[in-house]
Amino acid sequence: MELTLFIIIAWIIVAYFVSVLPSENLIRNLILYMVLIIFMTSVSTVISLDLGFIGITTNKVKYVAVIIYRNIITPLLLVIFNNIFSELKSYYSKIASITVILLLLSTLEFISLRLHLQVYIKWNFMLFILFYSVSILIAIITNKGLYAIQLRGELNK
Amino acid sequence: MTIYYDNKFNQNEWFVLTLLLCYIIVFLLPKRFPLLTSLLFLLFGISIAIFMDHSISINPIDFYDVNDSSKFELYDFLLYFAYGPFSYLMVYFFDKFKLKKRQILLYIPLCSFAAMGFEWLAKQFGVFHYKNGYQILYSLPIYLVVFSILFYFYFKLYRDKLSQ
């Protein structure tokens, strides 16, 4: 049940990523996804494996759901968020979009905890929000940097 | 339970540092791709290595440990960065020698066997420690799939656009 649920969520997000996001931003979005994978996966492993703050399920089927959640759903959600965020003009709508994405991520995290995909040992929702706030910040900064590189490349053509 | 293989600065750390020198080759080679595309090919190797290693080398699957212990350490992180030049150079030489699309049927398996050879070398230097029945042959399908994705990106995002 857990695996099915997370595969469906991942499918919706991947389908949105492939079909809705503009194809001219594909390289930028892929790079952003890779940067987020490097940061989020490394930090997650340190938190769970090295520090033992979060316990990951020992059930192999549930573990596949954890991998889908950690490596596909959350980074792709942040990439989609970034595309929407970069289109927004007003300060309030930007704050609102950050709040919505944090709520969405918190809901997914809540589901993963309820389904026993992971268990908090020395971790809590405040630290979770902090971790994702840093991830969002990294995503925004990276996207701005990549946009500047893309713009410079087009100017040099 | 954490397994410690050694705790000294020795051959596996030197192996990782030597691999990082491949970035010099990347920077010295003449530019072939736009900057963002080059960045994509470099990051592809790093992110896939982290994606795969942090999926199949930790509990409950736990097929192997990297470097000195089963924990995630600085040299593990540096090792992942050493994968970047390899994915870049694979695409670079394919493009440089103007190989045809159908030649990928030979190029990808060749690169996969080369990657297996390199993995074997890394194992001899104490970078990888296989566990739970894992064998080097199991890496072959992973390399085939990963390199196929890399070349899908190469054709879709670079070569096909050039030919349009």
Side-chain angles (χ1 to χ4, degrees):
Chain A
M1 186 260 185
E2 300 86 1
L3 185 58
T4 312
L5 177 69
F6 278 85
I7 286 174
I8 291 168
I9 296 170
W11 181 83
I12 293 167
I13 290 165
V14 172
Y16 185 92
F17 180 85
V18 172
S19 60
V20 180
L21 295 187
S23 58
E24 60 265 28
N25 292 348
L26 187 58
I27 294 184
R28 246 169 64 200
N29 285 332
L30 284 171
I31 293 175
L32 187 57
Y33 172 73
M34 290 169 185
V35 169
L36 286 170
I37 279 279
I38 293 167
F39 171 73
M40 292 169 78
T41 310
S42 303
V43 174
S44 296
T45 305
V46 170
I47 290 168
S48 58
L49 187 75
D50 286 12
L51 301 172
F53 288 175
I54 298 175
I56 304 289
T57 178
T58 50
N59 180 308
K60 284 177 183 169
V61 176
K62 285 185 178 184
Y63 181 68
V64 178
V66 172
I67 290 172
I68 292 171
Y69 170 53
R70 190 194 62 188
N71 290 358
I72 298 171
I73 296 174
T74 47
L76 271 186
L77 256 181
L78 288 183
V79 173
I80 292 168
F81 155 78
N82 233 280
N83 278 264
I84 297 167
F85 183 84
S86 59
E87 294 293 316
L88 298 173
K89 296 280 179 276
S90 84
Y91 179 75
Y92 292 109
S93 52
K94 285 188 178 194
I95 295 289
S97 71
I98 293 173
T99 313
V100 169
I101 190 70
L102 282 175
L103 276 172
L104 204 58
L105 289 165
S106 303
T107 310
L108 285 169
E109 184 76 357
F110 180 72
I111 293 170
S112 76
L113 289 169
R114 284 303 297 264
L115 294 174
H116 305 291
L117 299 184
Q118 50 183 350
V119 58
Y120 285 177
I121 299 165
K122 291 177 186 169
W123 196 251
N124 56 51
F125 253 90
M126 284 305 289
L127 289 169
F128 167 82
I129 295 289
L130 183 70
F131 170 61
Y132 275 97
S133 301
V134 173
S135 303
I136 288 170
L137 191 66
I138 287 172
I140 292 169
I141 293 168
T142 307
N143 197 38
K144 277 191 189 298
L146 293 172
Y147 182 68
I149 293 172
Q150 190 178 20
L151 209 63
R152 203 181 64 183
E154 280 168 10
L155 287 174
N156 289 343
K157 271 181 187 171
Chain B
M1 193 185 72
T2 308
I3 303 169
Y4 291 95
Y5 297 95
D6 75 73
N7 52 8
K8 296 188 189 85
F9 186 93
N10 49 21
Q11 52 188 15
N12 59 307
E13 281 84 5
W14 279 115
F15 187 81
V16 173
L17 292 176
T18 311
L19 284 185
L20 285 171
L21 293 177
C22 292
Y23 275 97
I24 297 172
I25 302 170
V26 171
F27 292 119
L28 288 179
L29 282 170
K31 193 182 146 201
R32 286 201 76 81
F33 311 113
L35 186 55
L36 274 187
T37 313
S38 301
L39 201 59
L40 178 81
F41 295 146
L42 268 175
L43 282 173
F44 182 86
I46 303 168
S47 58
I48 282 286
I50 290 186
F51 187 117
M52 292 309 300
D53 267 18
H54 289 238
S55 300
I56 62 169
S57 78
I58 58 172
N59 271 323
I61 297 177
D62 206 10
F63 278 145
Y64 52 90
D65 289 330
V66 182
N67 286 318
D68 289 351
S69 76
S70 52
K71 286 198 166 192
F72 182 45
E73 297 171 338
L74 174 67
Y75 279 90
D76 299 2
F77 191 67
L78 291 177
L79 174 71
Y80 300 133
F81 274 84
Y83 282 85
F86 290 96
S87 56
Y88 177 83
L89 293 173
M90 262 181 72
V91 177
Y92 184 93
F93 288 115
F94 188 87
D95 193 68
K96 184 177 169 57
F97 297 122
K98 295 183 173 49
L99 296 177
K100 292 189 177 71
K101 212 170 195 173
R102 64 170 181 273
Q103 287 172 308
I104 212 147
L105 292 172
L106 191 65
Y107 193 74
I108 289 180
L110 270 177
C111 289
S112 302
F113 282 113
M116 272 177 69
F118 220 82
E119 189 180 317
W120 178 83
L121 196 65
K123 191 179 179 301
Q124 307 309 309
F125 276 88
V127 173
F128 296 115
H129 309 272
Y130 297 151
K131 295 193 297 191
N132 299 323
Y134 192 81
Q135 293 172 21
I136 198 163
L137 198 64
Y138 299 162
S139 300
L140 183 63
I142 298 174
Y143 289 130
L144 286 172
V145 172
V146 166
F147 295 159
S148 304
I149 297 170
L150 174 66
F151 277 95
Y152 172 77
F153 285 153
Y154 164 71
F155 281 108
K156 185 174 168 57
L157 302 171
Y158 180 70
R159 188 125 146 200
D160 290 351
K161 275 187 181 174
L162 278 185
S163 55
Q164 274 171 14

